[in-house]
Every structure is written in structure tokens, then in C-alpha cells.
């Protein structure tokens, strides 16, 4: 019985650890993916906002040809 | 692309109203985010995992709304608003909508 319980709770703990580790990995990857150079053809707009989760100030760029937007980190 | 929440744009004349434009996105947190958030809710305060989810959804909704307005040939959006809702218990929907217009400088 003790073996079964330790196995059961061990598996549960491993699932929680894997889920939290996956979240941390995702957040780190999300931060790393922030490229700071707007691609060619983008124009700077007056729109600036502070990302509420990271506190990083971001400048918005706009591509008038495609309608795409790009978020550039301007201050950490 | 000028996006404003007012009926008109100061210094601009609305040449043509093209119609409504919108951007919609539905997002949910993964298992890890939900577990971390539920631990955080035990102690109170801001649930950063959900703030991040809503912030990403807001950005995606605005991006899609602007792309739709651009596809309509607009150069500005007036009367922009946000709306939000829930689908199930874990999914959040954000809609950004407004009126796509062609605005000329006065």
C-alpha cells in the first residue's frame, strides 16, 4: 500500500513539476523571441505601451504595405 | 494606421466610411500556467499568468483588426472598442472592433 501511494503521489508530483517547468520554458522562450529590430518596410508609430507582465516598454511599428504590426523593445 | 476611440480625428477629415472592422482571438492557458495560477491564487494578488494571456490576446486582437482594416483600404479606425467574454472555464475571448475610414489631413 505504501509503495502504491508513493508511486501515485510521485507521478502526480512529476506531472506538476513538468507542467510548471514547461510554463517557465515557454515564458523564457517568449522573452528570447523578442527581436529588437523592426523588419524592412515598417514605419514607426506613436503607439507605446508597457507590457504588464514584464514591465518592458514597447514601441509599435507598422507596415503600410501588409498591415502587419511589430513590437520593439525600447527600454527594460 | 491611426486607431482612435473618438468619433473623429483631430486635424483630419473623414473622407469615406468603409464599414466596421474587427479582430477576434480566443486564448487559453496551458496546464502549467493554470497550475501556477491556481497556486498564486491561494496567496492573492495579481495572477500574472492570466494577465499575460489577456495581454497577448489584446495584442493579437488589435493586430487582426488593423490587418482587416488595411485589407479594406482604410488608413484609420475610429470608435475602436474592446469586448471580452469567456468560453468554457478556461478560454477567454477578446474582440477589438471599430469603424474603418479613410481620413485626410486638413
Amino acid at each position: 500500500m505504501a509503495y502504491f501511494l508513493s508511486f501515485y503521489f510521485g507521478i502526480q508530483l512529476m506531472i506538476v513539476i513538468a507542467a510548471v517547468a514547461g510554463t517557465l520554458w515557454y515564458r523564457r522562450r517568449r522573452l528570447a523571441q523578442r527581436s529588437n529590430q523592426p523588419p524592412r518596410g515598417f514605419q514607426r508609430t506613436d503607439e507605446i505601451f508597457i507590457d504588464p507582465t514584464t514591465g518592458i516598454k514597447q514601441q509599435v511599428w507598422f507596415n503600410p504595405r501588409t498591415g502587419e504590426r511589430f513590437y520593439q523593445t525600447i527600454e527594460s | 494606421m491611426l486607431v482612435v476611440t473618438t468619433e473623429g480625428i483631430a486635424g483630419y477629415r473623414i473622407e469615406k466610411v468603409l464599414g466596421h472592422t474587427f479582430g477576434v482571438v480566443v486564448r487559453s492557458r496551458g496546464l502549467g500556467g493554470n497550475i501556477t495560477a491556481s497556486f498564486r491564487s491561494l496567496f492573492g494578488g495579481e495572477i500574472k499568468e492570466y494577465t499575460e494571456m489577456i495581454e497577448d490576446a489584446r495584442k493579437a486582437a488589435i493586430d487582426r483588426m488593423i490587418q482587416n482594416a488595411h485589407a479594406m483600404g482604410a488608413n484609420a479606425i475610429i470608435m475602436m472598442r474592446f469586448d471580452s467574454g469567456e468560453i468554457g472555464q478556461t478560454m477567454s475571448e477578446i474582440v477589438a472592433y471599430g469603424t474603418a475610414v479613410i481620413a485626410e489631413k486638413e
Side-chain angles (χ1 to χ4, degrees):
Chain A
M1 186 65 179
Y3 175 76
F4 171 77
L5 283 177
S6 60
F7 178 77
Y8 177 78
F9 286 112
I11 291 288
Q12 298 282 324
L13 189 64
M14 280 169 60
I15 290 172
V16 169
I17 289 171
V20 172
T23 301
L24 293 175
W25 172 81
Y26 168 78
R27 293 191 71 174
R28 183 171 290 185
R29 196 187 66 158
R30 185 171 170 262
L31 281 175
Q33 276 179 342
R34 284 171 201 266
S35 169
N36 218 22
Q37 284 308 311
R40 285 177 63 182
F42 280 69
Q43 293 174 358
R44 191 175 153 173
T45 70
D46 292 332
E47 188 177 338
I48 290 175
F49 69 93
I50 296 168
D51 189 318
T53 54
T54 59
I56 294 172
K57 197 182 278 186
Q58 295 193 312
Q59 170 88 51
V60 180
W61 293 67
F62 177 68
N63 187 332
R65 201 171 55 80
T66 63
E68 285 177 287
R69 280 151 61 89
F70 176 83
Y71 298 93
Q72 179 193 34
T73 298
I74 54 173
E75 194 180 286
S76 57
Chain B
M1 176 79 66
L2 258 175
V3 181
V4 298
T5 56
T6 49
E7 284 182 28
I9 308 170
Y12 286 80
R13 184 177 62 252
I14 306 295
E15 285 289 317
K16 194 173 179 187
V17 175
L18 299 172
H20 72 275
T21 182
F22 68 94
V24 62
V25 63
V26 178
R27 291 187 77 107
S28 82
R29 284 286 342 175
L31 178 64
N34 281 330
I35 291 172
T36 315
S38 62
F39 278 127
R40 214 188 280 276
S41 70
L42 294 174
F43 304 103
E46 183 180 1
I47 313 295
K48 291 185 178 171
E49 286 70 26
Y50 290 129
T51 304
E52 183 183 304
M53 180 182 84
I54 296 297
E55 172 66 10
D56 285 350
R58 180 194 70 83
K59 272 193 222 168
I62 286 193
D63 291 351
R64 288 176 187 178
M65 177 189 68
I66 288 176
Q67 276 210 302
N68 287 339
H70 180 265
M72 292 165 74
N75 67 353
I77 298 170
I78 58 171
M79 293 288 285
M80 197 280 285
R81 298 286 185 270
F82 282 113
D83 200 355
S84 66
E86 278 182 20
I87 298 174
Q89 287 190 326
T90 54
M91 289 173 272
S92 286
E93 169 207 35
I94 297 232
V95 187
Y97 62 94
T99 304
V101 298
I102 295 174
E104 297 287 337
K105 259 194 172 159
E106 281 182 333

